[in-house]
Amino acid sequence: MALAHLTSSSRSNLLKPSPPSYPTLILSAVRSPPPPTPLLSRLPFRSLLTNASLLPAPSRPLLKSLFLSSATWLRCGGWRSPPILYKAKLIRGFCHLYDGQEAVAVGMEAAITKKDCIITAYRDHCTFVGRGGTLLEVFSELMGRQAGCSNGKGGSMHFYRKDAGFYGGHGIVGAQVPLGCGLAFAQKYSKGETVTFALYGDGAANQGQLFEALNISALWDLPVILICENNHYGMGTAEWRASKSPAYYKRGDYVPGLKVDGMDALAVKQACKFAKEHVLRNGPIILEMDTYRYHGHSMSDPGSTYRTRDEISGVRQERDPIERIRKVILAHDLATEKELKDFEKEIRKEVDQAIAQAKESPMPEPSELFANVYVKGLGTEAFGADRKEVRAVLP
Amino acid sequence: MTTIFRGLGALTASNSFDSKKLQLPSPRSFSERKASFLLVRSDGSVNLNLGSNSRARRAEQLITNAVATKADGSAASTASKPGHELLLFEALREGLEEEMDRDPTVCVMGEDVGHYGGSYKVTKGLATKYGDLRVLDTPIAENSFTGMGIGAAMTGLRPVVEGMNMGFLLLAFNQISNNCGMLHYTSGGQFKIPIVIRGPGGVGRQLGAEHSQRLESYFQSIPGIQMVACSTAYNAKGLMKAAIRSENPVILFEHVLLYNLKERIPDEEYICNLEEAEMVRPGEHVTILTYSRMRYHVMQAAKTLVNKGYDPEVIDIRSLKPFDLYTIGNSVKKTHRVLIVEECMRTGGIGASLTAAITENFHDYLDAPIVCLSSQDVPTPYAGTLEEWTVVQPAQIVTAVEQLCQ
């Protein structure tokens, strides 16, 4: 099986080998009317069993919206607010931050509709916002309040939004992949022409159920796209210590795979668009997003015991997803520096407002303990530990 | 709570019992009655509604909850319907087929359910009728295809996942516990998981330890799921239909040795209540609670007991999660003695939980400690004699009742 690199014929002269230092932009032939050319990706696409031809360059509004959304998410799911709330013990338990990986969620959202389904593991704050979740819902759920998306009963790892096709939010990694294949099965069953994106990490890529699900999806030609968000560390275990074959896009064997620079939102977008068209015709595909997380695995992990601070800051300088888009926008005069700063200020204000509002939201009522154990209407009883006192009959 | 029985088949176990106690008409004469049905109240008294007295009948009907029996399905029909005879696996198939006809979102997935027809023939003929997209042959990958069923259920499909043997579902425990049981709760009610997970379990004829497992004891703590166990062709079909229509995840436990039970079931459509226990034989002296295959051992023992002068009340609890404490409680209040006969292991089985539940709620009504007869805490051996000793036998039930009632 040959690594079918994107040949020069399919790759137009838009993408050339990477420049010696970042962040030089190579602007090749700009077509006379805008849209502008995409930012050069440092890591080219690598593929298995497929020949991804590039799609045309993105437009200005897209670039702007990409910046806006990713900036929001950086602040929201990222490094500013949750740690503060965590130290104040308003957020407890597990809290997994997505900063550094925003390009994956942003790029994916840009390529799909709300009718397509996304399912992911526990690092789901940004994906949830991308699907239409509000900041208020996010922070309320993190703090366990009623205004949260799961009424405060899910927590950081269980964000769901059914009407926007976001299916979570799962704590046991690997288990969401068969669920995702089931979503794709339902989409095929109802002939919807929609697809499912099932995301997992490099750690979960070694789960057996993933391969089981992949086998069944390939057998039944299900429209599922398996995305491996490879941030190179499974909690504290580096990729090379956990996987014999770190080429996760090749793990499919009989299923095509594509490796994408996961820090480049535009590349992600192109890959997801290609993947969506591919799976509707041909069955599943694996996308590996080469990305990085700046924070540790979760709040309790400093993130520096298994990697050096130099590595983290190096990636942040060279490959930061938001910086990339910012530079493209500035280079093409889509917005001024000041406008972007104002954007960020507004977003920060929004986030602070959302946090304040979330703090106002009350904790769930005691009766909520027994609500939604079963679907209402069947008269089933749910008992607490002490049968005599904490008994609820669901209507 | 009243239980409305359609067709006398519901009350007749494969072993006969002393019908005089119940004062029922004989099966033959029942079929000649005009659309009448039996109302067996939980206190044991029997009400016979004769003729097509529809007003009186409707007044006595009790819709117990949303999944009510369709007792008013056939209004005053003058022609009597004797029902039809079939085996238990055929009853399951009938229930499944009727639901698949009725609702296009019902699909079946499992190993060898399609072209092979099902390892116990429950899904025979369905693949040719409904096609490959609705009756799906899966590879041997329980973890993932159960997960896929749950994922499909999240979007609104109603999959029926078959474990070829219940023991294989241990591989899917994570999916059943975390995703199936908990998603409705952790999503704040956004997702319903109307999945049915079914399959045969229990001790068969020398199938070996790994193929003779009773998974109801492992699953009983999972919040958010319902568990039911069928024991007759009548309740197999009824529970299958109710489980498919239920919005909650239901695990339907069948038994390997009960698939060939022959019984007469009604022609009309009916559903059995998922949370309700079945009064098999009302009595006065002792309450015997049982489910699945042990029901037949109990009825066999009941014959002996009746000859010895005892009057056991036999209840097939059917609903393993949640327990029907209402029916059970009323029985305990009447007889004051409880014997639980089950096929689960001694430790941590359904009987253990039931003992705790009854003791906590009805302690004042008990004249004697609850006796629980369960299987031995051993892997089921292959040798026939040893296998017999692992499960409860009728002779042990008789002895236990005698000791309890002295």
Side-chain angles (χ1 to χ4, degrees):
Chain A
M1 139 234 84
L3 266 185
H5 280 276
L6 296 163
T7 61
S8 49
S9 56
S10 59
R11 282 173 85 173
S12 57
N13 54 2
L14 293 176
L15 287 191
K16 292 216 182 86
S18 52
S21 66
Y22 187 86
T24 320
L25 302 179
I26 293 189
L27 301 176
S28 28
V30 179
R31 300 195 181 87
S32 23
T37 56
L39 178 59
L40 175 63
S41 176
R42 285 203 81 211
L43 300 174
F45 287 102
R46 287 185 198 279
S47 61
L48 167 74
L49 298 183
T50 184
N51 207 351
S53 54
L54 283 185
L55 301 159
S59 60
R60 293 164 198 253
L62 173 67
L63 284 173
K64 265 194 176 150
S65 75
L66 284 182
F67 179 82
L68 251 187
S69 37
S70 48
T72 322
W73 300 353
L74 185 62
R75 301 300 179 258
C76 156
W79 50 276
R80 216 163 272 237
S81 327
I84 301 174
L85 296 173
Y86 202 85
K87 286 211 171 61
K89 290 218 187 327
L90 287 167
I91 303 180
R92 319 275 309 252
F94 295 125
C95 187
H96 308 89
L97 300 181
Y98 201 66
D99 60 328
Q101 297 183 212
E102 298 90 354
V104 177
V106 173
M108 192 168 59
E109 266 314 316
I112 60 177
T113 67
K114 286 288 185 286
K115 288 216 165 28
D116 297 313
C117 304
I118 299 184
I119 189 169
T120 180
Y122 46 72
R123 218 176 281 278
D124 54 354
H125 302 172
C126 295
T127 328
F128 173 71
V129 173
R131 289 263 92 182
T134 64
L135 291 177
L136 172 63
E137 280 177 338
V138 169
F139 285 110
S140 310
E141 187 63 36
L142 286 176
M143 296 199 266
R145 308 297 171 103
Q146 272 181 22
C149 51
S150 303
N151 300 338
K153 297 201 289 194
S156 161
M157 297 191 286
H158 298 286
F159 284 15
Y160 304 92
R161 198 181 178 88
K162 181 163 189 186
D163 52 6
F166 181 58
Y167 288 82
H170 294 275
I172 308 292
V173 292
Q176 78 273 16
V177 178
L179 286 184
C181 297
L183 297 173
F185 170 69
Q187 287 172 328
K188 179 168 182 169
Y189 195 94
S190 40
K191 302 188 179 23
E193 296 293 303
T194 50
V195 300
T196 301
F197 288 81
L199 289 88
Y200 56 98
D202 48 299
N206 294 318
Q207 278 266 323
Q209 48 191 324
L210 214 151
F211 298 96
E212 294 180 17
L214 198 58
N215 179 37
I216 301 181
S217 310
L219 266 178
W220 295 349
D221 278 328
L222 300 183
V224 63
I225 297 153
L226 271 69
I227 298 190
C228 177
E229 291 177 291
N230 184 4
N231 57 21
H232 305 288
Y233 295 94
M235 204 162 92
T237 309
E239 173 186 45
W240 58 272
R241 288 179 62 220
S243 305
K244 186 72 178 170
S245 158
Y248 299 103
Y249 69 104
K250 291 197 213 168
R251 291 264 187 107
D253 185 27
Y254 40 83
V255 167
L258 197 62
K259 180 166 173 160
V260 184
D261 181 2
M263 302 298 255
D264 180 2
L266 303 172
V268 170
K269 184 208 168 217
Q270 288 173 334
C272 289
K273 200 151 174 201
F274 166 75
K276 176 168 174 174
E277 285 162 13
H278 183 274
V279 298
L280 282 174
R281 282 192 316 265
N282 303 340
I285 192 173
I286 301 183
L287 296 180
E288 182 185 338
M289 304 284 176
D290 193 338
T291 178
Y292 200 84
R293 57 167 161 83
Y294 300 141
H295 268 89
H297 164 76
S298 70
M299 285 287 155
S300 52
D301 174 25
S304 50
T305 52
Y306 46 87
R307 50 186 187 174
T308 59
R309 290 197 194 279
D310 289 337
E311 182 187 309
I312 306 174
S313 48
V315 175
R316 199 191 280 267
Q317 269 173 10
E318 294 184 16
R319 295 175 66 199
D320 185 64
I322 299 190
E323 281 307 304
R324 269 190 192 204
I325 301 190
R326 183 202 295 269
K327 286 188 166 58
V328 175
I329 292 180
L330 292 176
H332 295 288
D333 291 325
L334 299 173
T336 63
E337 183 84 37
K338 179 165 185 321
E339 278 178 6
L340 294 183
K341 280 250 173 334
D342 287 340
F343 269 151
E344 290 185 15
K345 278 214 187 80
E346 278 230 20
I347 291 169
R348 213 170 296 177
K349 234 180 26 191
E350 247 186 72
V351 169
D352 289 334
Q353 253 176 12
I355 294 180
Q357 230 184 324
K359 284 185 186 165
E360 301 288 312
S361 175
M363 293 294 249
E365 298 290 314
S367 60
E368 276 290 306
L369 182 60
F370 298 105
N372 298 130
V373 178
Y374 293 110
V375 175
K376 282 189 182 179
L378 294 177
T380 47
E381 294 194 42
F383 291 98
D386 179 350
R387 275 169 189 270
K388 289 195 175 71
E389 281 175 8
V390 201
R391 182 186 305 188
V393 177
L394 301 175
Chain B
M1 196 193 300
T2 58
T3 315
I4 303 170
F5 285 104
R6 291 292 252 167
L8 201 52
L11 299 172
T12 327
S14 68
N15 302 317
S16 62
F17 58 91
D18 191 353
S19 52
K20 289 197 200 75
K21 290 279 178 181
L22 201 51
Q23 288 161 15
L24 294 168
S26 65
R28 220 171 294 132
S29 61
F30 176 86
S31 61
E32 290 157 25
R33 296 194 188 281
K34 290 182 180 183
S36 62
F37 62 92
L38 244 35
L39 211 64
V40 181
R41 297 192 184 277
S42 51
D43 59 3
S45 64
V46 170
N47 242 334
L48 258 182
N49 251 338
L50 300 178
S52 51
N53 192 350
S54 46
R55 214 181 312 145
R57 194 189 331 145
R58 224 150 268 146
E60 303 229 62
Q61 273 175 13
L62 188 68
I63 309 294
T64 47
N65 57 34
V67 190
T69 54
K70 273 176 79 168
D72 51 344
S74 61
S77 66
T78 48
S80 61
K81 294 196 178 193
H84 54 286
E85 236 183 21
L86 39 56
L87 305 176
L88 196 146
F89 73 86
E90 290 171 348
L92 285 167
R93 190 197 316 151
E94 228 180 60
L96 190 49
E97 203 169 337
E98 282 175 20
E99 288 305 305
M100 288 182 82
D101 276 333
R102 177 180 172 273
D103 187 348
T105 60
V106 180
C107 53
V108 182
M109 15 175 124
E111 295 158 15
D112 280 326
V113 295
H115 294 217
Y116 189 80
S119 50
Y120 293 95
K121 293 179 285 201
V122 174
T123 49
K124 189 161 180 197
L126 295 184
T128 34
K129 183 172 175 190
Y130 296 107
D132 276 338
L133 199 57
R134 287 189 76 186
V135 181
L136 301 142
D137 276 326
T138 63
I140 305 178
E142 282 80 6
N143 199 350
S144 53
F145 72 71
T146 311
M148 287 177 68
I150 296 167
M154 283 166 90
T155 63
L157 289 194
R158 304 186 96 90
V160 176
V161 173
E162 172 172 318
M164 188 183 272
N165 187 295
M166 269 293 172
F168 305 164
L169 290 182
L170 285 174
L171 292 159
F173 206 114
N174 174 52
Q175 297 288 351
I176 295 174
S177 167
N178 290 331
N179 293 330
C180 184
M182 300 193 190
L183 266 173
H184 188 64
Y185 190 85
T186 54
S187 67
Q190 288 180 65
F191 295 114
K192 291 186 304 198
I193 317 282
I195 194 176
V196 176
I197 299 175
R198 49 161 292 266
V203 176
R205 295 256 182 269
Q206 297 187 249
L207 297 177
E210 291 173 7
H211 291 74
S212 315
Q213 299 196 67
R214 282 76 82 191
L215 250 57
E216 52 267 22
S217 51
Y218 304 151
F219 288 150
Q220 61 179 324
S221 297
I222 299 175
I225 58 164
Q226 282 188 259
M227 305 202 303
V228 286
C230 64
S231 47
T232 64
Y234 178 83
N235 62 31
K237 179 176 173 185
L239 288 174
M240 168 74 94
K241 290 170 70 85
I244 294 177
R245 293 192 196 186
S246 165
E247 302 288 353
N248 291 311
V250 179
I251 305 187
L252 172 59
F253 290 93
E254 303 154 10
H255 198 286
V256 275
L257 293 181
L258 297 184
Y259 276 130
N260 289 326
L261 278 182
K262 190 180 269 203
E263 195 183 334
R264 190 164 211 90
I265 64 169
D267 286 331
E268 311 88 59
E269 204 184 3
Y270 67 93
I271 295 181
C272 285
N273 196 336
L274 284 177
E275 296 92 14
E276 201 169 15
E278 187 178 324
M279 176 73 68
V280 183
R281 180 192 189 285
E284 296 290 326
H285 289 164
V286 59
T287 301
I288 305 183
L289 302 171
T290 180
Y291 65 93
S292 194
R293 180 181 168 226
M294 287 296 117
R295 168 187 173 139
Y296 299 97
H297 281 208
V298 167
M299 293 313 291
Q300 218 178 324
K303 245 187 354 185
T304 320
L305 285 169
V306 162
N307 288 339
K308 294 193 176 185
Y310 295 96
D311 185 17
E313 174 153 300
V314 180
I315 296 181
D316 181 346
I317 59 174
R318 256 178 22 192
S319 170
L320 304 177
K321 186 181 169 84
F323 293 130
D324 181 6
L325 287 178
Y326 186 83
T327 311
I328 296 173
N330 285 342
S331 175
V332 172
K333 288 176 190 173
K334 184 172 58 158
T335 64
H336 311 296
R337 290 182 167 80
V338 179
L339 171 69
I340 302 174
V341 180
E342 54 153 1
E343 204 174 333
C344 267
M345 312 271 199
R346 186 106 197 83
T347 308
I350 295 286
S353 303
L354 195 50
T355 307
I358 298 176
T359 313
E360 276 173 10
N361 288 295
F362 306 114
H363 183 259
D364 295 331
Y365 296 97
L366 289 172
D367 282 347
I370 301 176
V371 177
C372 181
L373 297 177
S374 343
S375 296
Q376 305 306 313
D377 280 325
V378 295
T380 314
Y382 168 74
T385 43
L386 293 181
E387 189 185 59
E388 252 180 50
W389 292 336
T390 47
V391 292
V392 180
Q393 299 298 330
Q396 293 169 298
I397 304 174
V398 173
T399 321
V401 170
E402 287 176 341
Q403 279 182 344
L404 199 51
C405 287
Q406 65 187 198

